[in-house]
mmCIF file of all heavy atoms in Angstrom:
data_model
loop_
_atom_site.group_PDB
_atom_site.id
_atom_site.type_symbol
_atom_site.label_atom_id
_atom_site.label_comp_id
_atom_site.label_asym_id
_atom_site.label_seq_id
_atom_site.Cartn_x
_atom_site.Cartn_y
_atom_site.Cartn_z
ATOM 1 N N GLU A 28 29.846 -10.005 88.659
ATOM 2 C CA GLU A 28 31.037 -9.175 88.680
ATOM 3 C C GLU A 28 30.705 -7.767 88.175
ATOM 4 O O GLU A 28 29.880 -7.592 87.284
ATOM 5 C CB GLU A 28 32.100 -9.813 87.785
ATOM 6 C CG GLU A 28 33.439 -9.141 87.858
ATOM 7 C CD GLU A 28 34.484 -9.858 87.022
ATOM 8 O OE1 GLU A 28 34.367 -11.088 86.872
ATOM 9 O OE2 GLU A 28 35.373 -9.183 86.520
ATOM 10 N N LYS A 29 31.360 -6.770 88.756
ATOM 11 C CA LYS A 29 31.138 -5.386 88.333
ATOM 12 C C LYS A 29 31.660 -5.174 86.916
ATOM 13 O O LYS A 29 32.653 -5.770 86.509
ATOM 14 C CB LYS A 29 31.861 -4.426 89.279
ATOM 15 C CG LYS A 29 31.179 -4.265 90.609
ATOM 16 C CD LYS A 29 31.963 -3.403 91.549
ATOM 17 C CE LYS A 29 32.082 -1.990 91.066
ATOM 18 N NZ LYS A 29 32.684 -1.089 92.049
ATOM 19 N N ILE A 30 30.960 -4.328 86.174
ATOM 20 C CA ILE A 30 31.411 -3.969 84.832
ATOM 21 C C ILE A 30 32.518 -2.935 84.979
ATOM 22 O O ILE A 30 32.310 -1.881 85.568
ATOM 23 C CB ILE A 30 30.260 -3.378 83.999
ATOM 24 C CG1 ILE A 30 29.111 -4.363 83.896
ATOM 25 C CG2 ILE A 30 30.749 -2.958 82.623
ATOM 26 C CD1 ILE A 30 27.856 -3.769 83.297
ATOM 27 N N ARG A 31 33.668 -3.246 84.462
ATOM 28 C CA ARG A 31 34.770 -2.297 84.512
ATOM 29 C C ARG A 31 34.579 -1.256 83.428
ATOM 30 O O ARG A 31 34.091 -1.565 82.345
ATOM 31 C CB ARG A 31 36.092 -3.024 84.337
ATOM 32 C CG ARG A 31 36.399 -3.974 85.501
ATOM 33 C CD ARG A 31 37.751 -4.606 85.320
ATOM 34 N NE ARG A 31 38.717 -3.605 84.903
ATOM 35 C CZ ARG A 31 39.738 -3.202 85.632
ATOM 36 N NH1 ARG A 31 39.951 -3.719 86.802
ATOM 37 N NH2 ARG A 31 40.580 -2.301 85.187
ATOM 38 N N ASP A 32 34.983 -0.024 83.710
ATOM 39 C CA ASP A 32 34.801 1.048 82.739
ATOM 40 C C ASP A 32 35.507 0.760 81.416
ATOM 41 O O ASP A 32 35.009 1.114 80.355
ATOM 42 C CB ASP A 32 35.211 2.405 83.306
ATOM 43 C CG ASP A 32 36.642 2.463 83.791
ATOM 44 O OD1 ASP A 32 37.306 1.415 83.878
ATOM 45 O OD2 ASP A 32 37.104 3.579 84.103
ATOM 46 N N ILE A 33 36.632 0.074 81.470
ATOM 47 C CA ILE A 33 37.341 -0.244 80.225
ATOM 48 C C ILE A 33 36.485 -1.135 79.333
ATOM 49 O O ILE A 33 36.498 -0.999 78.114
ATOM 50 C CB ILE A 33 38.734 -0.867 80.509
ATOM 51 C CG1 ILE A 33 39.581 -0.920 79.235
ATOM 52 C CG2 ILE A 33 38.608 -2.257 81.083
ATOM 53 C CD1 ILE A 33 40.090 0.405 78.789
ATOM 54 N N ASN A 34 35.702 -2.040 79.929
ATOM 55 C CA ASN A 34 34.820 -2.898 79.137
ATOM 56 C C ASN A 34 33.732 -2.080 78.458
ATOM 57 O O ASN A 34 33.353 -2.372 77.326
ATOM 58 C CB ASN A 34 34.188 -3.981 80.007
ATOM 59 C CG ASN A 34 35.191 -5.031 80.433
ATOM 60 O OD1 ASN A 34 36.317 -5.046 79.983
ATOM 61 N ND2 ASN A 34 34.773 -5.884 81.337
ATOM 62 N N ILE A 35 33.231 -1.073 79.158
ATOM 63 C CA ILE A 35 32.209 -0.213 78.559
ATOM 64 C C ILE A 35 32.788 0.498 77.343
ATOM 65 O O ILE A 35 32.181 0.514 76.273
ATOM 66 C CB ILE A 35 31.664 0.801 79.586
ATOM 67 C CG1 ILE A 35 30.911 0.056 80.687
ATOM 68 C CG2 ILE A 35 30.763 1.833 78.913
ATOM 69 C CD1 ILE A 35 30.521 0.919 81.871
ATOM 70 N N TYR A 36 33.976 1.057 77.491
ATOM 71 C CA TYR A 36 34.598 1.763 76.367
ATOM 72 C C TYR A 36 34.906 0.816 75.212
ATOM 73 O O TYR A 36 34.732 1.169 74.042
ATOM 74 C CB TYR A 36 35.860 2.501 76.811
ATOM 75 C CG TYR A 36 35.555 3.683 77.689
ATOM 76 C CD1 TYR A 36 35.969 3.703 79.019
ATOM 77 C CD2 TYR A 36 34.828 4.769 77.220
ATOM 78 C CE1 TYR A 36 35.676 4.782 79.833
ATOM 79 C CE2 TYR A 36 34.533 5.846 78.028
ATOM 80 C CZ TYR A 36 34.960 5.854 79.327
ATOM 81 O OH TYR A 36 34.671 6.910 80.133
ATOM 82 N N LYS A 37 35.346 -0.383 75.515
ATOM 83 C CA LYS A 37 35.595 -1.368 74.453
ATOM 84 C C LYS A 37 34.308 -1.679 73.700
ATOM 85 O O LYS A 37 34.302 -1.765 72.471
ATOM 86 C CB LYS A 37 36.172 -2.666 75.026
ATOM 87 C CG LYS A 37 37.621 -2.593 75.389
ATOM 88 C CD LYS A 37 38.082 -3.933 75.952
ATOM 89 C CE LYS A 37 39.513 -3.874 76.411
ATOM 90 N NZ LYS A 37 39.944 -5.144 77.010
ATOM 91 N N MET A 38 33.212 -1.852 74.421
ATOM 92 C CA MET A 38 31.938 -2.164 73.780
ATOM 93 C C MET A 38 31.437 -0.987 72.944
ATOM 94 O O MET A 38 30.856 -1.171 71.884
ATOM 95 C CB MET A 38 30.884 -2.558 74.819
ATOM 96 C CG MET A 38 31.158 -3.869 75.533
ATOM 97 S SD MET A 38 31.142 -5.310 74.426
ATOM 98 C CE MET A 38 32.894 -5.617 74.209
ATOM 99 N N LEU A 39 31.702 0.232 73.380
ATOM 100 C CA LEU A 39 31.283 1.420 72.630
ATOM 101 C C LEU A 39 32.154 1.674 71.402
ATOM 102 O O LEU A 39 31.762 2.421 70.513
ATOM 103 C CB LEU A 39 31.317 2.660 73.531
ATOM 104 C CG LEU A 39 30.331 2.704 74.687
ATOM 105 C CD1 LEU A 39 30.576 3.940 75.538
ATOM 106 C CD2 LEU A 39 28.905 2.664 74.193
ATOM 107 N N SER A 40 33.333 1.050 71.356
ATOM 108 C CA SER A 40 34.264 1.331 70.263
ATOM 109 C C SER A 40 33.899 0.640 68.950
ATOM 110 O O SER A 40 34.480 0.938 67.914
ATOM 111 C CB SER A 40 35.688 0.929 70.661
ATOM 112 O OG SER A 40 35.810 -0.485 70.735
ATOM 113 N N ASP A 41 32.936 -0.250 68.985
ATOM 114 C CA ASP A 41 32.507 -0.962 67.781
ATOM 115 C C ASP A 41 31.215 -0.330 67.261
ATOM 116 O O ASP A 41 30.247 -0.164 68.008
ATOM 117 C CB ASP A 41 32.264 -2.434 68.118
ATOM 118 C CG ASP A 41 31.784 -3.222 66.926
ATOM 119 O OD1 ASP A 41 32.637 -3.659 66.127
ATOM 120 O OD2 ASP A 41 30.557 -3.382 66.795
ATOM 121 N N ARG A 44 27.973 -2.521 67.709
ATOM 122 C CA ARG A 44 27.563 -2.597 69.107
ATOM 123 C C ARG A 44 26.985 -1.259 69.571
ATOM 124 O O ARG A 44 25.983 -1.220 70.289
ATOM 125 C CB ARG A 44 28.737 -3.017 69.998
ATOM 126 C CG ARG A 44 29.112 -4.477 69.858
ATOM 127 C CD ARG A 44 30.095 -4.921 70.915
ATOM 128 N NE ARG A 44 31.316 -4.146 70.937
ATOM 129 C CZ ARG A 44 32.506 -4.588 70.532
ATOM 130 N NH1 ARG A 44 32.649 -5.813 70.072
ATOM 131 N NH2 ARG A 44 33.565 -3.820 70.605
ATOM 132 N N LEU A 48 23.275 -0.518 71.063
ATOM 133 C CA LEU A 48 23.050 0.139 72.352
ATOM 134 C C LEU A 48 22.173 1.377 72.201
ATOM 135 O O LEU A 48 21.285 1.623 73.024
ATOM 136 C CB LEU A 48 24.384 0.505 73.006
ATOM 137 C CG LEU A 48 25.208 -0.671 73.521
ATOM 138 C CD1 LEU A 48 26.598 -0.221 73.938
ATOM 139 C CD2 LEU A 48 24.498 -1.372 74.667
ATOM 140 N N GLU A 78 28.368 -10.464 72.879
ATOM 141 C CA GLU A 78 29.461 -9.694 73.472
ATOM 142 C C GLU A 78 28.918 -8.678 74.484
ATOM 143 O O GLU A 78 29.463 -8.537 75.586
ATOM 144 C CB GLU A 78 30.251 -8.953 72.391
ATOM 145 C CG GLU A 78 31.044 -9.842 71.482
ATOM 146 C CD GLU A 78 31.699 -9.091 70.340
ATOM 147 O OE1 GLU A 78 31.184 -8.040 69.894
ATOM 148 O OE2 GLU A 78 32.755 -9.562 69.894
ATOM 149 N N LEU A 79 27.862 -7.977 74.091
ATOM 150 C CA LEU A 79 27.264 -6.979 74.984
ATOM 151 C C LEU A 79 26.709 -7.630 76.244
ATOM 152 O O LEU A 79 26.855 -7.092 77.344
ATOM 153 C CB LEU A 79 26.168 -6.204 74.244
ATOM 154 C CG LEU A 79 26.644 -5.248 73.158
ATOM 155 C CD1 LEU A 79 25.484 -4.800 72.288
ATOM 156 C CD2 LEU A 79 27.370 -4.058 73.769
ATOM 157 N N GLU A 81 27.688 -10.608 77.570
ATOM 158 C CA GLU A 81 28.803 -11.139 78.364
ATOM 159 C C GLU A 81 29.559 -10.045 79.108
ATOM 160 O O GLU A 81 30.176 -10.301 80.139
ATOM 161 C CB GLU A 81 29.766 -11.927 77.471
ATOM 162 C CG GLU A 81 29.203 -13.257 77.026
ATOM 163 C CD GLU A 81 30.099 -14.006 76.058
ATOM 164 O OE1 GLU A 81 31.074 -13.408 75.528
ATOM 165 O OE2 GLU A 81 29.825 -15.193 75.814
ATOM 166 N N ASN A 82 29.525 -8.826 78.575
ATOM 167 C CA ASN A 82 30.198 -7.707 79.224
ATOM 168 C C ASN A 82 29.254 -6.897 80.107
ATOM 169 O O ASN A 82 29.617 -5.843 80.625
ATOM 170 C CB ASN A 82 30.871 -6.814 78.181
ATOM 171 C CG ASN A 82 32.158 -7.429 77.694
ATOM 172 O OD1 ASN A 82 33.176 -7.334 78.356
ATOM 173 N ND2 ASN A 82 32.111 -8.104 76.553
ATOM 174 N N GLY A 83 28.039 -7.393 80.265
ATOM 175 C CA GLY A 83 27.111 -6.821 81.220
ATOM 176 C C GLY A 83 26.373 -5.576 80.786
ATOM 177 O O GLY A 83 25.722 -4.939 81.602
ATOM 178 N N LEU A 84 26.434 -5.208 79.521
ATOM 179 C CA LEU A 84 25.760 -3.989 79.077
ATOM 180 C C LEU A 84 24.318 -4.213 78.678
ATOM 181 O O LEU A 84 23.518 -3.280 78.726
ATOM 182 C CB LEU A 84 26.526 -3.336 77.922
ATOM 183 C CG LEU A 84 27.659 -2.410 78.366
ATOM 184 C CD1 LEU A 84 28.771 -3.146 79.035
ATOM 185 C CD2 LEU A 84 28.156 -1.594 77.208
ATOM 186 N N LEU A 103 23.251 3.806 81.328
ATOM 187 C CA LEU A 103 23.955 3.727 80.043
ATOM 188 C C LEU A 103 23.387 4.748 79.056
ATOM 189 O O LEU A 103 24.095 5.210 78.165
ATOM 190 C CB LEU A 103 23.862 2.316 79.458
ATOM 191 C CG LEU A 103 24.744 1.268 80.127
ATOM 192 C CD1 LEU A 103 24.384 -0.126 79.640
ATOM 193 C CD2 LEU A 103 26.205 1.554 79.874
#
Side-chain angles (χ1 to χ4, degrees):
E28 187 176 330
K29 285 176 65 172
I30 302 170
R31 294 183 44 113
D32 57 350
I33 192 73
N34 289 352
I35 294 171
Y36 290 115
K37 283 180 184 177
M38 293 296 102
L39 294 175
S40 70
D41 179 84
R44 287 190 303 252
L48 290 171
E78 291 174 332
L79 290 166
E81 288 176 348
N82 282 280
L84 275 67
L103 285 170

